[in-house]
């Protein structure tokens, strides 16, 4: 039996849980008017099963988290083992916790250049906050530069460097001293001057619609930052851990940032984020005053133990290389579908693929049909004409064939808009 067939025969059909569904809408704060509302009963590898036993192929990898697949056995075993020893014991940085130290050392070894010192957080946005604070304190400068179309998270600081005015407006005033430049525009980089503490950039913009810069852009940005003494912060929250076909996306362009932000896949499915930097930059957090940037749960031992196991699997199974090969082949196939169902263009790097539609109506129709066909996917947060595919890097050839069949049907079926989700 292929993995694709196995997915649809995992569990006997059950009654959908109407009470749970109703309570979800009543008590769990809704972040949109149209959540997927899939009732999750189990997730393993590339597959999520709902409460009726129906299998869905997860083409979002839990939104960029499950790079090695959901609930990998090595991660589960690491969590189990760590539970036997201790859970939370103390605030960040006070005690020597083996999983934290092990993961920090592995990250330092795996990261490009001399990003040797790691600060663990609970999430991506929190890591962005820490990176921005460290940059301001280290440089003694206040200005921050970000890019149009960027997404760095939804806390106040992270939102302040976000690149979509629609999402900033309801929460203003935000951080002062932030300016924004067009993404992928080398000429605009001249605006980065000696007042700038840091420039924050996603090597490939994810939520902004899977935007891949030209080859010159990031190296030029690196040069400009070095020339004016501004720190370069690379946000690898989505692009990290093999997603784009290299362990970190900066490596495609040989760029070493001063600080790198990671989250999502770093915890192997448990909540974890981190910012890594050069020793001199990160050293600024230890003094004047000490304890000025602390966290209770950042670098939780369970999350770090899971992270060590996940990174070991990722490297052992050469999943970044796999993502590069599989992604390139998939992109080639998807490009043959351009022109159908409003699909205007496809692009991607590794297993971060973007399908650009000619209108939000076409995007929505396509996503709805795919979901009805058993694929978990969605349009990107800040670009409602782009559907992103970012499956676990372990996705099998038969699963991609299955996804392609559903995608082709969704593009070819004309007529009704199919607005409602099943
Ligand atoms: C590039 C990028 N940075 C930061 C974040 C924020 O991470 P978190 O949701 O863990 O706060 C995200 C979340 O999607 C992201 O895509």
């Amino acid at each position: 039996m292929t993995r694709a067939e196995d997915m649809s025969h995992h569990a006997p059909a059950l009654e959908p849980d109407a009470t749970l569904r109703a309570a979800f809408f009543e008590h769990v704060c809704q972040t949109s008017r149209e959540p997927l509302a899939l009732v999750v009963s189990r997730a393993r590898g590339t597959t999520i099963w709902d409460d009726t036993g129906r299998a869905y192929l997860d083409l979002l990898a839990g939104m960029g988290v499950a790079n090695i697949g959901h609930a990998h056995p090595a991660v589960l075993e690491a969590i189990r083992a760590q539970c036997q020893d201790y859970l939370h014991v103390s605030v960040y940085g006070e005690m020597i916790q083996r999983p934290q130290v092990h993961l920090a050392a592995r990250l330092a070894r795996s990261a490009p250049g001399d990003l040797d010192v790691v600060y663990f957080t609970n999430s991506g946005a929190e890591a962005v906050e820490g990176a921005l604070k460290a940059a301001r304190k280290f440089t003694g400068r206040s200005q921050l530069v970000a890019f149009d179309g960027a997404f760095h998270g939804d806390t106040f600081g992270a939102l302040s460097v976000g690149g979509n005015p629609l999402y900033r407006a309801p929460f203003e005033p935000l951080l002062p001293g932030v300016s924004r430049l067009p993404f992928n525009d080398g000429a605009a980089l001249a605006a980065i001057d000696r007042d700038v503490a840091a420039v924050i950039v996603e090597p490939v913009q994810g939520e902004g619609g899977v935007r891949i810069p030209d080859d010159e852009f990031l190296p030029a940005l690196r040069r400009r930052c070095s020339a004016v003494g501004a720190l370069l912060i690379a946000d690898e929250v989505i692009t990290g851990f093999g997603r784009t076909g290299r362990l970190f996306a900066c490596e495609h362009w040989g760029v070493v940032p001063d600080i790198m932000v990671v989250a999502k896949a770093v915890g192997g499915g448990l909540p974890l984020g981190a910012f890594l930097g050069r020793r001199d930059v990160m050293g600024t957090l230890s003094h004047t005053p000490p304890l000025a940037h602390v966290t209770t749960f950042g670098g939780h031992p369970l999350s770090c133990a899971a992270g060590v196991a996940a990174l070991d699997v990722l490297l052992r199974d050469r999943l970044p290389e796999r993502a590069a090969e599989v992604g390139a082949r998939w992109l080639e196939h998807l490009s043959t579908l351009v022109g159908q169902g409003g699909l205007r263009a496809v692009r991607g790097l590794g297993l971060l693929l973007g399908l650009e539609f000619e209108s939000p109506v076409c995007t929505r129709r396509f996503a709805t049909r795919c979901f009805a066909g058993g694929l978990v996917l969605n349009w990107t947060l800040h670009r409602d004409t782009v559907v992103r595919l970012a499956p676990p890097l372990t996705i099998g050839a038969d699963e991609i064939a299955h996804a392609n069949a559903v995608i082709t049907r969704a593009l070819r079926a004309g007529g009704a808009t199919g607005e409602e989700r099943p």
Side-chain angles (χ1 to χ4, degrees), residues 63 208 265 269:
M63 216 54 101

Side-chain angles (χ1 to χ4, degrees), residues 326-373:
V326 170
R329 253 181 285 133
W330 201 359
L331 187 63
E332 206 176 300
H333 173 76
L334 291 169
S335 64
T336 66
L337 303 176
V338 169
Q340 301 178 33
L343 182 62
R344 192 144 68 178
V346 294
R347 53 182 173 267
L349 197 57
L351 278 169
L352 182 56
L353 304 169
L355 280 59
E356 173 121 37
F357 285 83
E358 61 194 33
S359 69
V361 170
C362 292
T363 317
R364 209 163 279 257
R365 182 175 62 204
F366 171 75
T368 304
R369 286 172 176 167
C370 285
F371 187 62

Side-chain angles (χ1 to χ4, degrees), residues 259-401:
I259 301 179
M260 186 167 83
V261 179
V262 296
K264 292 191 183 279
V266 69
L270 290 194
L272 187 65
F275 56 106
L276 300 66
R278 289 200 323 260
R279 191 170 302 286
D280 56 340
V281 173
M282 300 300 281
T284 196
L285 296 178
S286 69
H287 60 84
T288 46
L291 301 178
H293 189 74
V294 293
T295 166
T296 301
F297 279 129
H300 193 284
L302 276 192
S303 303
C304 287
V308 169
L311 186 54
D312 284 351
V313 169
L314 192 86
L315 296 176
R316 183 198 66 199
D317 295 350
R318 302 173 61 81
L319 294 180
E321 291 87 337
R322 185 168 196 284
E325 288 162 27
V326 170
R329 253 181 285 133
W330 201 359
L331 187 63
E332 206 176 300
H333 173 76
L334 291 169
S335 64
T336 66
L337 303 176
V338 169
Q340 301 178 33
L343 182 62
R344 192 144 68 178
V346 294
R347 53 182 173 267
L349 197 57
L351 278 169
L352 182 56
L353 304 169
L355 280 59
E356 173 121 37
F357 285 83
E358 61 194 33
S359 69
V361 170
C362 292
T363 317
R364 209 163 279 257
R365 182 175 62 204
F366 171 75
T368 304
R369 286 172 176 167
C370 285
F371 187 62
L375 305 183
V376 172
L377 50 69
N378 224 330
W379 48 92
T380 56
L381 188 59
H382 289 185
R383 187 66 73 99
D384 61 3
T385 50
V386 178
V387 166
R388 165 226 351 241
L389 306 181
L393 311 183
T394 54
I395 188 167
D398 54 334
E399 292 169 322
I400 292 181

Side-chain angles (χ1 to χ4, degrees), residues 123-125 151-153 202 207 235 237-238 264:
S123 69
F151 181 72
H152 298 292
E202 294 165 88
E207 300 297 352
D235 180 341
V237 168
I238 281 198
K264 292 191 183 279

